[in-house]
Amino acid sequence: MSEQRMDWTSHPPHVHPDYKSTVLRGPTKPLIAIDHRLSELTGPVYGHDSVGPLDADLTKNGQRNGEPLGERIIVTGRVVDEDDRPQPDTLVEIWQANAAGRYIHEIDQHAAPIDPNFLGAGRCVTDGEGRYRYITIKPGAYPWKNHYNAWRPNHIHLSLFGPSFTSRLVTQMYFPGDPLLDLDPIFNAVPEAARERLISSFAIDVTEPEFALGYVFDIVLRGPQVTPAED
Amino acid sequence: MRRYQTPSQTVGPFFAYGLVPEQYGYRFTSIADHAVAAPATEGTHIRIIGQVLDGEATPIPDALLEFWQANAHGRYNHAADERQDNLLDPDFLGFGRTGTGTSADASFQIDTVKPGAVGEGQAPHINVVVLMRGMLTHAFTRIYFSDEEALNAVDPALANVPENRRATLIGKRDEASAGTYRFDIRMQGERETVFFDI
């Protein structure tokens, strides 16, 4: 079969014991390969009409009575496939903790303050060149209970559909120079050669004077598929 | 220029307000929810209920499931499906998404229409993406239907599955409740659901 399969040199395995929740949740039996037909070559399409006017500005879309606290940042990048072809009109969904490292989610019990003016969720759509851009607050690190003194590095969650069902991607963007990265079992579950692809770059040309620091994060989706099986 | 794929990372425990905010009551809009079909969607309206179970058979209350399917005519609402004979339904995109955290027993429920057969000898099925805290890379599975025995018997994807595991992919029609199917997803164990490498 000539179709491309999951690239396990890029993606973390289903069971990675250092990340304890994988032990009872990750599938353990071999995955079963199937030919690509329309079920795999199609996928949901969400374009510009799925994004509201404030959705790409997380410093504004959760405001109740003022500005959210923390360091404003601009995040931009290109969504491309493995042949570097831009992926236009592609939805990018975003969620993250606030500057204090607290999620608005009600099951987050970390004793850091909720920011009444920050929701931490947003979305944007790529332009004709595959470029996306959103404004947010730099998320704080936060503790979790995976092991003693465990802290997640600063990160922003991202979700993309891409052109077909096979290109679905849910990932996390990290920040350069974060000392917690080396200690994080979720980041380190990724094959070593692929880890740096999850770390954004600081960019002075994206940074806006008197306003916000800029970071660049390109997202590479699984490449184009061959034609459906004939049989 | 060759580029390399951005690695997957877990959806984590706190996805609800970003991906299914309306289901969980957050002040943000949802792009999709458990209602895959609208009341006006053509076809046989069905409900699928189930649970996602971990390796100790404990229901998982923080899983996120996504569903992608053809309409009642067997047509996908996507440019790659060019088969004009299978009509599009203006009231059906074919995508749904739901978390397992808003019911007391961590069950999920989707309301949709039964997909038509897509052709090429395939049995009607719904494509599913399974995500949760503790899954670093999402998993793909499918829901087939127990009342499509003849088509299931010749389906090319099911044919790749060892016979003793096929039942994990079949949504069981509930004879006591018309139009309802039961489909549980077992992440591990003897009856681990079949996950596909696509």
Side-chain angles (χ1 to χ4, degrees):
Chain A
M1 280 174 289
S2 57
E3 293 103 353
Q4 186 181 358
R5 303 291 174 191
M6 281 297 291
D7 173 11
W8 294 107
T9 67
S10 292
H11 300 293
H14 282 138
V15 175
H16 179 71
D18 288 351
Y19 175 21
K20 289 188 178 143
S21 303
T22 67
V23 173
L24 283 176
R25 292 183 165 198
T28 58
K29 294 189 191 297
L31 303 183
I32 293 183
I34 52 175
D35 288 329
H36 289 166
R37 290 182 168 79
L38 284 170
S39 296
E40 290 74 38
L41 300 171
T42 60
V45 176
Y46 286 93
H48 293 273
D49 55 356
S50 54
V51 175
L54 290 181
D55 284 359
D57 190 343
L58 285 74
T59 70
K60 291 205 169 75
N61 74 354
Q63 284 196 20
R64 287 178 189 272
N65 56 14
E67 297 267 339
L69 296 175
E71 181 184 344
R72 264 193 305 264
I73 60 171
I74 299 162
V75 181
T76 187
R78 290 173 72 228
V79 180
V80 298
D81 68 15
E82 292 166 284
D83 294 322
D84 205 37
R85 291 189 294 202
Q87 303 295 305
D89 305 324
T90 290
L91 181 68
V92 180
E93 296 175 276
I94 304 151
W95 72 104
Q96 62 166 85
N98 69 20
R102 177 74 186 260
Y103 286 87
I104 198 98
H105 198 296
E106 62 184 30
I107 64 171
D108 183 0
Q109 299 296 318
H110 177 35
I114 284 175
D115 185 337
N117 293 306
F118 189 71
L119 174 67
R123 52 177 81 100
C124 58
V125 175
T126 60
D127 67 15
E129 297 172 332
R131 197 168 298 281
Y132 71 90
R133 181 180 186 273
Y134 61 92
I135 300 171
T136 188
I137 297 291
K138 189 173 182 185
Y142 61 85
W144 61 313
K145 300 198 187 309
N146 188 69
H147 54 273
Y148 173 71
N149 211 8
W151 292 80
R152 291 298 330 279
N154 305 342
H155 64 275
I156 297 175
H157 294 268
L158 299 167
S159 166
L160 296 93
F161 293 106
S164 74
F165 201 63
T166 59
S167 54
R168 184 86 179 90
L169 177 71
V170 173
T171 189
Q172 300 179 26
M173 184 200 96
Y174 299 95
F175 291 86
D178 191 330
L180 293 171
L181 285 170
D182 283 346
L183 303 170
D184 181 47
I186 293 178
F187 175 73
N188 288 296
V190 173
E192 189 172 0
R195 287 175 204 157
E196 67 184 51
R197 298 175 213 158
L198 292 175
I199 304 173
S200 59
S201 310
F202 169 73
I204 193 67
D205 58 334
V206 175
T207 299
E208 291 191 5
E210 323 299 329
F211 179 63
L213 297 185
Y215 290 87
V216 171
F217 185 65
D218 284 350
I219 299 166
V220 183
L221 299 177
R222 189 164 152 182
Q225 309 297 323
V226 299
T227 51
E230 295 291 325
D231 56 348
Chain B
M1 184 177 75
R2 174 78 177 171
R3 302 285 300 260
Y4 293 94
Q5 287 178 44
T6 302
S8 175
Q9 293 275 267
T10 180
V11 75
F14 305 131
F15 58 80
Y17 66 94
L19 299 183
V20 277
E22 290 175 31
Q23 179 191 349
Y24 285 72
Y26 292 101
R27 52 188 177 106
F28 189 52
T29 54
S30 295
I31 59 159
D33 59 24
H34 80 285
V36 186
T41 304
E42 296 173 62
T44 305
H45 286 251
I46 61 170
R47 170 168 290 178
I48 300 174
I49 61 172
Q51 291 171 307
V52 185
L53 305 162
D54 73 10
E56 293 176 338
T58 303
I60 293 173
D62 56 1
L64 177 72
L65 301 175
E66 295 181 336
F67 305 88
W68 172 241
Q69 66 168 92
N71 69 20
H73 305 294
R75 175 87 177 264
Y76 282 103
N77 191 342
H78 186 275
D81 189 346
E82 298 171 323
R83 299 166 307 141
Q84 305 298 329
D85 290 347
N86 303 61
L87 296 177
L88 281 172
D89 180 345
D91 292 306
F92 194 65
L93 171 64
F95 181 71
R97 182 188 255 179
T98 191
T100 57
T102 56
S103 60
D105 60 352
S107 62
F108 69 89
Q109 169 186 314
I110 61 164
D111 293 327
T112 187
V113 290
K114 198 168 175 192
V118 180
E120 299 185 286
Q122 299 178 82
H125 62 272
I126 298 175
N127 308 288
V128 182
V129 175
V130 182
L131 307 111
M132 67 187 77
R133 169 177 68 83
M135 283 202 83
L136 288 155
T137 299
H138 57 264
F140 294 105
T141 188
R142 288 181 171 191
I143 304 171
Y144 288 86
F145 298 90
S146 64
D147 48 11
E148 296 286 354
E149 274 181 42
L151 285 168
N152 290 343
V154 297
D155 181 85
L158 283 175
N160 284 11
V161 176
E163 204 169 342
N164 63 355
R165 298 192 64 199
R166 282 181 204 159
T168 70
L169 295 169
I170 312 286
K172 277 211 179 71
R173 189 167 73 177
D174 181 350
E175 301 302 341
S177 174
T180 298
Y181 295 81
R182 175 87 194 183
F183 186 78
D184 292 322
I185 298 174
R186 291 180 176 79
M187 301 311 300
Q188 297 181 349
E190 202 177 327
R191 288 189 292 157
E192 178 179 315
T193 296
V194 167
F195 298 104
F196 291 111
D197 183 15
I198 59 175

